[in-house]
Amino acid sequence: MATDGSNLGINTRLAHSGNDPRDYFGFVNPPVVHASTVLYPDAASMASRSQKYTYGTRGTPTMDALTLAVDALEGSAGTIAVPSGLAAVTIPLLTFVSAGDHLLIVDSVYHPTRNFADTMLKRLGIDVEYYDPRIGAGIASLIKPNTKVVFTESPGSNTYEVQDIPAIAKAAHAANAIVMMDNTWATPLYFKPLDYGVDISIHAATKYPAGHSDVLLGLVSANDASWKQLYEGFCTLGCCSGPDDIYQTLRGLRTMGVRLEHHQRSALEIARWLEEQPGVAQVLHPALPSHPDHALWKRDFCGSSGVFSIVLNGGGQKAQHAFLDALTIFGLGYSWGGYESLAVPVFLGDRTIAKGAYSGPLIRLQIGLEDVEDLKADISRGLKAAAEAG
C-alpha cells in the first residue's frame, strides 16, 4: 500500500511513495503508459479539458508515479520530469527569466549550465552575472532591481564549495527574486532545498535516482508559489520525458537510499585515506573536517554522496593524465551516480571568480559500489604513475 507519510523512514517512503498498487489491480509497479492521444468521452469534456489526462506531453500515470514520489521527498507542490539533467536546468530558467532581466549564477556551477547561460540566455537578452560561491548574505550587494533569479548549486561542481543557502534565499526574497538550486549532489535525502528557502529544486535524475548509467532524466520540483509558472513553462516548451525512462528512474528510486548510503560510506573512507597519501595535496570533500566549508555542510546537510575531487601535489596535466591512464577499475567517463567508479580531469579555466589557488591538477572521483580495498589499490596505481610522470 502506497503512503507518503512524512513520519515514515526514508527507505520506507522510497519503497512505497508515488503510486498505490490497488489502483492497478494489486501490481506493485505502475504501468508504463506510452501515450500521445488521450480520448475524451464527449465534446463538452474535450472543450473544457475536464479530465485528469489530456495529452501525453502533459502527464500520464507513469509520470505521476515518479513525480508524486519525488514530491513526497522534496515536500514540493509539484514536480516535472524532463529528458536530461541539463533540461532540468534550462526549462526553469527559460520559464522564469525574460529579456532585460538580471540573473545571478554561482561561479562554481555545472559547466553546461554556464554554457547555456553564456550562449542562449545572453542571446535572448538576459544579463548574466556570476558570483562567489561563498558570498552568503553578501549577495544582497549584487542584486539589482531587475534581478529575477538567483541560481545556486551546493556543493559546487568539481570543487565542492558549500553555499549558505538560507542567507542567499533571504536576500533574494527580500528583493522579490526567486532561488533555484541544483541539488544533484546531495539528493533530497541529504538536503531538502525547499526547507531552506529555495523555490525551485533541480535534480539530474540521471545520477542517483536512476543509478545504473543507462537513463537520462531530469527532475524539477517547485514550492506552492512557483509551481503554476513552472508547470506552464514545461507545457509550453513540450520538453517531456519518455515513459520507459520515467519508469526506469522510478525503479531506481526504490533502492536509492541503500545505494546512496553505500556510496557515502565508501567515498568517506577513501577520502580520509587519500588525505594521508603522498602525492595528494588536498581532498575536496565537504564532509571532511579539513574542508573549509565543513561547518556549513554539517549545519545544513544530513549526509554526503559519492563524488569529490582530489588535488595532486604538482605535476600539471602530464601527471593528471598519467594518473587517469593508470586506472583499471575506475572508468574514464562523464556523469556519476551509477554503480561503477569513474574519474575525470577537472578544468577550471571557464571560471571568473572561484578559480582557487590549487597546488596541482584536479581529478574528480565518483566512488561506485565496488569494494573499497580494490578502489584504493586502483587509486594507488594512479598516484604512483602521477609521481613517476611528474
Side-chain angles (χ1 to χ4, degrees), residues 301-375:
F301 290 74
C302 60
S304 60
S305 65
V307 191
F308 63 94
S309 291
I310 61 173
V311 182
L312 296 181
N313 190 14
Q317 188 182 74
K318 184 179 179 183
Q320 183 189 58
H321 285 191
F323 177 98
L324 294 168
D325 289 342
L327 300 173
T328 61
I329 296 176
F330 282 82
L332 306 188
Y334 291 98
S335 196
W336 40 272
Y339 55 85
E340 79 286 21
S341 292
L342 299 170
V344 297
V346 172
F347 173 72
L348 302 178
D350 58 345
R351 296 189 180 186
T352 57
I353 301 166
K355 291 180 177 293
Y358 301 109
S359 60
L362 277 68
I363 294 167
R364 189 186 75 190
L365 300 175
Q366 129 81 4
I367 305 303
L369 302 179
E370 303 94 338
D371 292 311
V372 165
E373 292 308 314
D374 294 331
L375 297 178

Side-chain angles (χ1 to χ4, degrees), residues 38-108:
V38 180
L39 297 180
Y40 297 81
D42 50 52
S45 61
M46 193 173 197
S48 63
R49 297 199 172 197
S50 56
Q51 62 185 40
K52 183 174 183 179
Y53 299 110
T54 58
Y55 192 71
T57 58
R58 290 172 172 261
T60 67
T62 312
M63 183 182 291
D64 285 349
L66 175 60
T67 57
L68 289 172
V70 174
D71 285 335
L73 298 175
E74 293 272 12
S76 46
T79 294
I80 59 172
V82 295
S84 69
L86 181 56
V89 170
T90 62
I91 289 170
L93 285 173
L94 288 171
T95 298
F96 284 88
V97 295
S98 304
D101 287 346
H102 178 237
L103 166 64
L104 284 166
I105 300 179
V106 63
D107 196 45
S108 54

